[in-house]
């Protein structure tokens, strides 16, 4: 099982707690960035493909954005990070269509998302901060892609792992991927055993003494 598929058997709070225990902090995107659809079972992990948007009041054509969607790699999570609020949609239905065909697993933006019906029909996971009708032209432009960005207060580099679910979104730095995944394999087993014993009626104090997790 790949690291991405393994993560998708877990959930973000467990990954966050495990990273805390390893001293790897500051990797949780701001809680304002959430799935645009209410799905408690949503889990998606992929390798970061970060893009940077700069707010502007000038008309800038979307040439770089079009280049970006044609360059999206397989198994990626596309991150669209605006330097400031553009009061515009950073992601929409046509972008989702192209991203899905390219093999992307999801998109995460620190701003607006539109074309909600079209995105829902694609069954393509998208995380954002709000829903917005407005076009990006005269409000912002994509300046660069496949570059380091800061989104939701977290600095993300190309190739970092992005994991999102109904709780929110986090980033696993590529340099820490091995140690985090190894630790998760250990703690996820204890988490499963704890849940099983609780369901069978064991007390919280007893199972915590046994598995050191709660």
């Amino acid at each position: 099982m790949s690291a991405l598929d393994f993560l998708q058997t877990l959930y973000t709070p467990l990954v966050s707690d495990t990273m805390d225990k390893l001293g790897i902090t500051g990797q949780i995107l701001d809680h304002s960035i959430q799935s645009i659809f209410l799905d408690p079972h949503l889990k998606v992990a992929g390798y970061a493909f970060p893009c940077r948007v700069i707010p502007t009041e000038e008309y800038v054509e979307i040439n770089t954005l079009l280049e970006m969607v044609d360059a999206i790699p397989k198994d990626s999570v596309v991150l669209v990070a605006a330097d400031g609020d553009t009061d515009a949609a950073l992601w929409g239905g046509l972008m989702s269509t192209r991203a899905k065909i390219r093999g992307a697993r999801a998109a995460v933006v620190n701003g607006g998302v539109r074309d909600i019906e079209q995105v829902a029909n694609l069954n393509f996971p998208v995380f954002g901060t709000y829903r917005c009708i407005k076009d990006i032209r005269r409000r912002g432009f994509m300046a660069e892609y496949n570059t380091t960005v800061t989104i939701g207060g977290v600095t993300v580099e190309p190739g970092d792992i992005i994991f999102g679910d109904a709780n929110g979104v986090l980033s696993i730095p590529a340099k820490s991927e091995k140690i985090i995944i190894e630790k998760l394999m250990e703690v996820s087993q204890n988490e499963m055993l704890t849940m099983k014993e609780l369901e069978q009626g064991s007390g919280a104090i007893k199972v915590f003494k046994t598995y050191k997790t709660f």
Side-chain angles (χ1 to χ4, degrees):
M1 182 184 295
S2 71
L4 299 182
D5 292 339
F6 171 61
L7 283 169
Q8 291 179 172
T9 68
L10 309 178
Y11 42 92
T12 54
L14 179 61
V15 178
S16 174
D17 291 352
T18 301
M19 292 168 68
D20 281 347
K21 291 174 183 175
L22 292 170
I24 303 170
T25 59
Q27 298 302 127
I28 313 304
L29 274 62
D30 188 83
H31 56 76
S32 62
I33 300 176
Q34 296 288 332
S35 171
I36 61 170
F37 301 112
L38 183 59
D39 177 4
H41 305 293
L42 173 65
K43 296 178 184 182
V44 61
Y47 293 106
F49 183 64
C51 317
R52 181 182 174 217
V53 167
I54 298 176
T56 184
E57 294 182 357
E58 298 179 4
Y59 184 97
V60 180
E61 196 46 89
I62 59 170
N63 297 332
T64 303
L65 184 151
L66 298 175
E67 292 175 3
M68 180 277 290
V69 293
D70 280 346
I72 293 172
K74 187 176 184 298
D75 291 329
S76 64
V77 171
V78 184
L79 299 180
V80 182
D83 289 357
D85 186 22
T86 60
D87 187 27
L90 301 178
W91 195 265
L94 297 179
M95 295 173 75
S96 295
T97 301
R98 183 60 175 150
K100 184 172 183 177
I101 290 295
R102 291 284 301 172
R105 294 189 172 209
V108 177
V109 308
N110 64 346
V113 179
R114 69 179 186 175
D115 304 326
I116 302 302
E117 180 181 5
Q118 294 94 320
V119 176
N121 289 340
L122 288 165
N123 194 30
F124 183 75
V126 177
F127 298 77
T129 56
Y130 53 82
R131 298 178 180 190
C132 183
I133 296 171
K134 299 176 185 176
D135 183 32
I136 196 171
R137 296 173 179 88
R138 288 197 171 89
R139 298 179 179 92
F141 68 95
M142 185 162 291
E144 52 187 337
Y145 57 90
N146 199 29
T147 186
T148 302
V149 300
T150 297
I151 182 169
V154 178
T155 299
V156 180
E157 299 181 0
D160 290 348
I161 291 180
I162 303 299
F163 179 38
D165 63 10
N167 300 288
V169 183
L170 59 78
S171 172
I172 297 176
K175 63 184 179 182
S176 305
E177 176 184 339
K178 186 174 185 293
I179 188 173
I180 292 171
I181 295 298
E182 287 177 350
K183 188 65 175 177
L184 281 168
M185 289 179 177
E186 172 190 331
V187 300
S188 62
Q189 183 72 11
N190 288 342
E191 183 91 356
M192 181 184 66
L193 293 170
T194 297
M195 178 69 76
K196 183 176 181 180
E197 291 208 16
L198 289 171
E199 290 173 342
Q200 293 172 347
S202 296
I205 294 173
K206 175 181 178 295
V207 295
F208 183 75
K209 284 182 178 178
T210 302
Y211 301 111
K212 305 302 180 186
T213 185
F214 200 83

